[in-house]
Amino acid sequence: MEISKSYVVPAPEQVSLPVVGSAARFPVRRIYCIGKNYVAHVLEMGGEASRDFPIIFQKPSDSIVQNGGIVPYPPRTDDFHFEIELMVALKSGGYNIPEDEALSHIFGYGVCIDMTRRRLLETESGPNAPWELKKSFDHSAPCSEIYPVSQVGHRDTGRITLTVDGEIRQDSDLELMIWKTPEIIATLSKYYALQPGDIIMAGTPDGVGPVVPGNTMVGAIEGLGDLTVQVGELV
Ligand code: MN
């Protein structure tokens, strides 16, 4: 049976990101996120660093905020945090990708911020609050342009920083990631058929903290340029 191409309500637009050096854009399918991937950040959260298994969650692709955009202050929190992270963009995928083939599936890299409702108004004891509500909400994924591997190579070291209103708040190096990018791709692909258009947010270093409306955040990774977003008023 042929499937109709017309819809009974407006169809959502394909979310996409600009690609440096190209007029064509990168279509975003899914956003996979890795948690607790730098020892110093795990410790500042009061946890114990471990290589037992990575924390994995997703954000909706339409939570992306473009470079230069506004991140409205989200509802039901009074502790809205930034987490600067490496973004990995895939050009191909599949199940069970071996670690030594993982890099061949990467289209490019960028800079992203995993915006987080660290505390929900309803649940004072943060750690037990549902991750879905803390992590996966509208405007929670500011992302930079994508820098193709063909131009910048693979990024597994390099300074990663975030400033708020010009003051440095996070300052680390990609080489401190507990789970390296090939391990992340190999692990994700055991559970999900990765696809072209998937992006991965690879976890944040230490120094996370709150922002309020009016703050300007600038994230940067050596060799991958800047990502600038402003915090807007409560939605
Ligand atoms: Mn994160």
Side-chain angles (χ1 to χ4, degrees):
M1 193 179 79
E2 200 167 313
I3 295 174
S4 171
K5 291 283 197 320
S6 63
Y7 301 101
V8 295
V9 298
E13 274 181 39
Q14 172 65 57
V15 177
S16 65
L17 288 168
V19 175
V20 173
S22 169
R25 295 173 67 90
F26 182 90
V28 180
R29 190 184 80 114
R30 290 186 184 170
I31 306 175
Y32 293 103
C33 303
I34 303 302
K36 302 186 180 179
N37 204 21
Y38 290 76
V39 172
H41 171 61
V42 178
L43 296 178
E44 76 179 347
M45 291 287 105
E48 278 177 44
S50 151
R51 274 188 58 87
D52 289 348
F53 202 77
I55 301 279
I56 294 168
F57 59 97
Q58 291 187 44
K59 287 176 184 274
S61 60
D62 67 357
S63 66
I64 283 180
V65 174
Q66 304 283 326
N67 199 351
I70 293 195
V71 178
Y73 200 93
R76 310 313 298 170
T77 187
D78 57 3
D79 199 20
F80 185 37
H81 277 209
F82 50 80
E83 297 189 354
I84 184 69
E85 308 197 355
L86 173 70
M87 169 174 61
V88 181
L90 301 186
K91 65 181 179 187
S92 52
Y95 276 121
N96 297 316
I97 296 169
E99 219 176 284
D100 62 2
E101 291 174 17
L103 292 181
S104 70
H105 293 279
I106 298 175
F107 173 79
Y109 296 89
V111 182
C112 59
I113 309 177
D114 168 16
M115 294 305 299
T116 301
R117 286 193 272 227
R118 190 72 67 198
R119 180 171 57 239
L120 304 173
L121 296 185
E122 290 79 1
T123 56
E124 286 304 315
S125 55
N128 295 325
W131 276 62
E132 183 79 8
L133 296 180
K134 295 202 291 186
K135 293 290 195 180
S136 307
F137 53 93
D138 295 339
H139 315 291
S140 64
C143 291
S144 76
E145 302 81 349
I146 294 173
Y147 292 75
V149 168
S150 56
Q151 292 183 26
V152 299
H154 289 286
R155 316 304 299 187
D156 54 4
T157 63
R159 192 179 182 197
I160 176 169
T161 57
L162 184 132
T163 63
V164 178
D165 295 341
E167 187 182 318
I168 194 129
R169 303 290 294 277
Q170 293 190 269
D171 189 355
S172 186
D173 197 291
L174 297 180
E175 72 182 0
L176 297 177
M177 283 166 54
I178 297 171
W179 299 89
K180 309 300 182 191
T181 300
E183 293 175 302
I184 291 169
I185 291 172
T187 301
L188 280 172
S189 72
K190 288 181 188 169
Y191 299 89
Y192 302 99
L194 299 177
Q195 298 277 333
D198 289 345
I199 64 178
I200 300 165
M201 299 173 74
T204 195
D206 58 319
V208 302
V211 283
V212 295
N215 284 158
T216 298
M217 298 179 282
V218 179
I221 295 175
E222 204 177 328
L224 299 178
D226 292 351
L227 165 66
T228 303
V229 286
Q230 195 178 17
V231 183
E233 295 299 319
L234 176 67
V235 291

